[in-house]
Amino acid sequence: MEPWIFQSWLMLAVLVVALAIKGFAFVNAMTFSAEAYEAAGKLTKQAWCVITGLGFAAQLVLIGSPIGIINLVFLIAALVYLADVRPALREVTSPRR
């Protein structure tokens, strides 16, 4: 197999994974109430929806470059949301046992 074929498939895989992460973060950010963000002590719901939404849109628009600087910045923002904000939101919205 030619090296450029492997590289093309790898870049396609990176593109799909990044798109899935950003899309999931955006949809998930919209599902929590604004009060949950305030109770968790995080940025507002509007801020996280804008950040993750712009990241998802940038990934769609700049589809030819999955590892460009803009896409990397928004990927890191989506990962921060998923690793830090989402667990905090789930903690303040889950029923106490």
Side-chain angles (χ1 to χ4, degrees):
M1 177 167 25
E2 297 291 327
W4 61 269
I5 293 173
F6 174 74
Q7 183 180 4
S8 297
W9 281 105
L10 182 63
M11 293 304 283
L12 179 63
V14 169
L15 175 87
V16 170
V17 168
L19 188 62
I21 289 171
K22 291 174 186 177
F24 177 76
F26 176 56
V27 171
N28 190 264
M30 292 189 304
T31 62
F32 290 98
S33 68
E35 293 79 21
Y37 285 87
E38 188 176 316
K42 303 296 178 184
L43 285 177
T44 65
K45 177 180 182 172
Q46 183 179 11
W48 278 112
C49 287
V50 167
I51 291 167
T52 56
L54 283 175
F56 185 64
Q59 185 73 45
L60 290 173
V61 171
L62 304 172
I63 202 158
S65 175
I67 57 170
I69 188 71
I70 293 171
N71 282 326
L72 286 176
V73 167
F74 281 121
L75 179 61
I76 291 169
L79 291 172
V80 166
Y81 172 82
L82 293 173
D84 181 45
V85 179
R86 183 174 182 251
L89 294 172
R90 290 180 76 188
E91 186 176 311
V92 298
T93 58
S94 66
R96 304 285 181 219
R97 291 186 179 191

